[in-house]
Amino acid sequence: MPEIHLGPVTLKLIVGFFLLFVIVRFAGRKIIKQITPFTFIASIVFGELLGNALYEPKVGLSYIIYSICLWGVLLVIIEYLGQKSLFFRGIFEGKPSALIKNGVLDLQALKKNRMNINQLQSLLRQSETFSIREVAFCYLEADGSLSILKKSKYQKTTGEDLNLPDKPVYVPVTIIRDGKVLWDEIKDLGFDESWLRAQLEPYHITDYKDVLIAEWQEGDGIYVQTYDKDASGR
């Protein structure tokens, strides 16, 4: 096992720490709060530069200072160009992508962003939105978060505001996804195939493969969107 000299390692660590601190302060707090593709790469490189240099005796202090300062300058330049030019901002930060528009799920936008419906539903639930039917517009931001505008009837109000009695709350259940029927979910609901066909009949759907997504929610019925038609529900 190679011997580690604590003196040089300590000096490198202290200098690297303060250099990174200065760069983050100078580049702005956005590098911490909003991770863009470029800042994500920059943060990995910063960590690798400092981490590899700490325990490599052949790498001197001047190498650490030069490498971190060079990457810091590049980061500041990119941030500056992004502030001054929409063109560079679009290249380095990316643009929001509309995944749901006017209540309709955009399958092409999902594919373009390499997402599937399962991943979208998971992100929606993390944003306290448990059904696609609630969403009027949904944007995938450059940092990977979702911005959601709910339909008016699903926007937050409380029973106390309206002096309404408490009602039972039911979680929406996905019963068809990507043209495949989730029979286990239907069985858990206590239904069968004849019930499913009866639910789809008003929408003139005879082939399950035509359905992009279908959800069932107690008290609110079924929500259906096909591959080639607008979303609908009842």
Side-chain angles (χ1 to χ4, degrees):
M1 184 175 179
E3 182 180 357
I4 298 176
H5 301 283
L6 295 181
V9 171
T10 302
L11 182 60
K12 291 177 182 178
L13 187 58
I14 293 173
V15 172
F17 171 81
F18 282 104
L19 277 176
L20 292 178
F21 179 78
V22 170
I23 289 172
V24 171
R25 290 284 294 179
F26 189 69
R29 293 177 182 153
K30 189 179 71 170
I31 189 176
I32 301 174
K33 181 65 177 176
Q34 184 179 13
I35 299 296
T36 64
F38 181 80
T39 55
F40 176 73
I41 294 172
S43 62
I44 293 177
V45 172
F46 278 140
E48 288 295 318
L49 287 175
L50 184 56
N52 292 334
L54 284 177
Y55 302 105
E56 179 54 58
K58 295 181 180 180
V59 176
L61 188 61
S62 59
Y63 169 85
I64 296 178
I65 295 174
Y66 172 78
S67 301
I68 293 181
C69 287
L70 179 59
W71 269 97
V73 170
L74 290 175
L75 178 60
V76 171
I77 290 174
I78 295 302
E79 290 292 326
Y80 176 81
L81 292 175
Q83 292 177 5
K84 297 297 182 180
S85 170
L86 291 175
F87 174 75
F88 283 106
R89 190 181 308 169
I91 292 177
F92 293 113
E93 296 185 8
K95 298 178 181 179
S97 180
L99 304 180
I100 300 177
K101 294 179 285 188
N102 292 315
V104 180
L105 182 62
D106 190 332
L107 186 59
Q108 295 303 316
L110 277 179
K111 291 181 178 179
K112 183 178 179 181
N113 289 280
R114 295 175 178 81
M115 290 182 63
N116 56 46
I117 297 178
N118 302 58
Q119 293 169 329
L120 175 60
Q121 288 179 305
S122 175
L123 290 173
L124 287 173
R125 287 192 294 270
Q126 293 175 39
S127 302
E128 299 183 357
T129 303
F130 286 81
S131 175
I132 290 177
R133 79 178 76 194
E134 301 177 19
V135 182
F137 291 89
C138 173
Y139 290 89
L140 178 66
E141 302 293 348
D143 62 354
S145 63
L146 290 185
S147 297
I148 301 167
L149 176 63
K150 291 188 177 183
K151 296 174 183 176
S152 57
K153 68 176 182 177
Y154 294 109
Q155 292 179 3
K156 283 188 175 181
T157 57
T158 64
E160 185 179 355
D161 293 335
L162 303 175
N163 295 319
L164 296 176
D166 291 339
K167 292 183 178 180
V169 177
Y170 300 99
V171 176
V173 179
T174 303
I175 55 178
I176 301 178
R177 183 189 291 123
D178 293 321
K180 297 181 179 179
V181 180
L182 307 180
W183 293 112
D184 289 342
E185 301 289 355
I186 292 177
K187 285 183 179 181
D188 289 343
L189 290 170
F191 301 132
D192 54 19
E193 186 172 7
S194 60
W195 170 86
L196 178 59
R197 291 194 176 278
Q199 296 298 319
L200 297 177
E201 185 178 357
Y203 307 106
H204 307 290
I205 297 172
T206 57
D207 191 343
Y208 301 136
K209 293 181 179 179
D210 294 334
V211 180
L212 175 60
I213 187 169
E215 292 180 342
W216 170 262
Q217 185 172 16
E218 188 69 31
D220 204 13
I222 194 169
Y223 168 90
V224 179
Q225 183 178 333
T226 60
Y227 281 96
D228 57 351
K229 295 182 180 179
D230 289 343
S232 54
R234 63 181 181 133

